[in-house]
Amino acid sequence: MKISALIISALATSAAAFAPSRVVQTTRLNMADADADVEEEPAKPAWPTINGWTADPDAFCAGLPGALSPLGDFDPAGFTKDLSVQEIKRYREAEVTHGRVSMLAVLGYLVGENFHPLFNGSITGPANTHLAQVQETAPFFFAFLVAAIAVSETTRASTGWVEPEEALAYNAQNEVKGAFGALLRDNYYPGDIGFDPLGLKPNDPAEFATMQTKELQNGRLAMIAAMGFIVQEQISGDTILGTLGSLF
């Protein structure tokens, strides 16, 4: 009898080992609840954030700063309509660059026509003729000036632009027309070539956007002014201040 009782007890213990455990079931339920509580991570933006700006293909000018009241999103000719982010960046790069050159040109016209410290004061008259005079008077300095411009442009291109072969392949695959092989890097902010010897670039994104808008507005005004200076001197053959003086 004792042997039979021991055999029955052993069989009961073995059967209990294969029975479903309430603890295991509880653990499985708790893990399922934990999976349900996990929130999905937000999708990463398609474009990198640069200087506080993340390109938004649906926003005006992809969300770049530059709009200012009362004109706001001013593009009456529709130059930026239906453009890709890459094309909008290329347009902004051109606008910023031409604006900076124009600001220097306007300053050069007003100062260079009235102050002649170089070349023994031999460079005179309307600023439209100054480069030709420099080339004739100081050809080596003129060559140095051209070389300096070439180096600056090469540095700007290597900083912000994709290599021509890769850019041509990208534009061909995406049917981009009119770019002439030009393509800006995804992590490059239009106009930010890293040249800031005075440390004026703000670290705060909002302050950077404000400064960028100011630069754009002054550059746009300078482009109009420089164009007016050039045309006026071609017509009158006189300096800017000389033309203004003749009006009074």
Side-chain angles (χ1 to χ4, degrees):
M1 294 296 293
K2 292 182 179 180
I3 294 174
S4 300
L6 289 173
I7 293 173
I8 293 171
S9 176
L11 291 174
T13 304
S14 300
F18 292 96
S21 173
R22 292 183 180 179
V23 176
V24 174
Q25 290 178 350
T26 304
T27 304
R28 289 176 180 173
L29 289 174
N30 290 339
M31 291 185 68
D33 293 340
D35 291 339
D37 293 338
V38 174
E39 297 182 359
E40 294 183 0
E41 295 183 0
K44 294 182 179 179
W47 297 91
T49 299
I50 319 166
N51 294 330
W53 169 70
T54 304
D56 182 3
D58 299 324
F60 179 76
C61 282
L64 283 167
L68 193 67
S69 59
L71 296 179
D73 298 340
F74 184 75
D75 184 20
F79 288 121
T80 60
K81 184 179 180 181
D82 299 328
L83 288 183
S84 65
V85 172
Q86 286 287 4
E87 282 293 276
I88 290 175
K89 287 179 63 176
R90 190 168 67 87
Y91 277 38
R92 175 53 59 86
E93 173 79 5
E95 182 181 25
V96 171
T97 303
H98 284 83
R100 290 169 177 170
V101 172
S102 296
M103 285 188 280
L104 290 174
V106 169
L107 184 64
Y109 267 75
L110 297 177
V111 174
E113 292 181 346
N114 299 278
F115 184 60
H116 317 103
L118 301 177
F119 313 114
N120 297 320
S122 60
I123 309 300
T124 59
N128 282 4
T129 65
H130 284 188
L131 276 179
Q133 293 182 55
V134 170
Q135 185 177 13
E136 182 178 352
T137 304
F140 288 104
F141 178 83
F142 182 83
F144 171 78
L145 180 63
V146 172
I149 295 173
V151 170
S152 299
E153 284 298 289
T154 303
T155 302
R156 182 174 71 91
S158 62
T159 301
W161 298 80
V162 175
E163 285 69 17
E165 292 184 2
E166 184 180 346
L168 286 170
Y170 175 90
N171 291 337
Q173 293 174 0
N174 293 272
E175 298 182 354
V176 178
K177 299 179 180 179
F180 304 104
L183 181 68
L184 291 175
R185 303 182 190 277
D186 289 344
N187 61 348
Y188 173 72
Y189 188 93
D192 188 5
I193 58 177
F195 182 75
D196 185 24
L198 299 179
L200 299 177
K201 177 184 175 181
N203 294 321
D204 181 71
E207 293 180 2
F208 178 84
T210 300
M211 177 172 284
Q212 176 79 156
T213 300
K214 292 179 180 178
E215 181 184 24
L216 286 165
Q217 297 298 330
N218 284 281
R220 290 162 181 167
L221 179 61
M223 283 188 278
I224 296 174
M227 183 172 59
F229 285 4
I230 294 170
V231 172
Q232 181 62 47
E233 290 196 350
Q234 286 296 108
I235 294 174
S236 67
D238 197 2
T239 63
I240 296 300
L241 295 184
T243 302
L244 288 176
S246 65
L247 299 177
F248 301 97

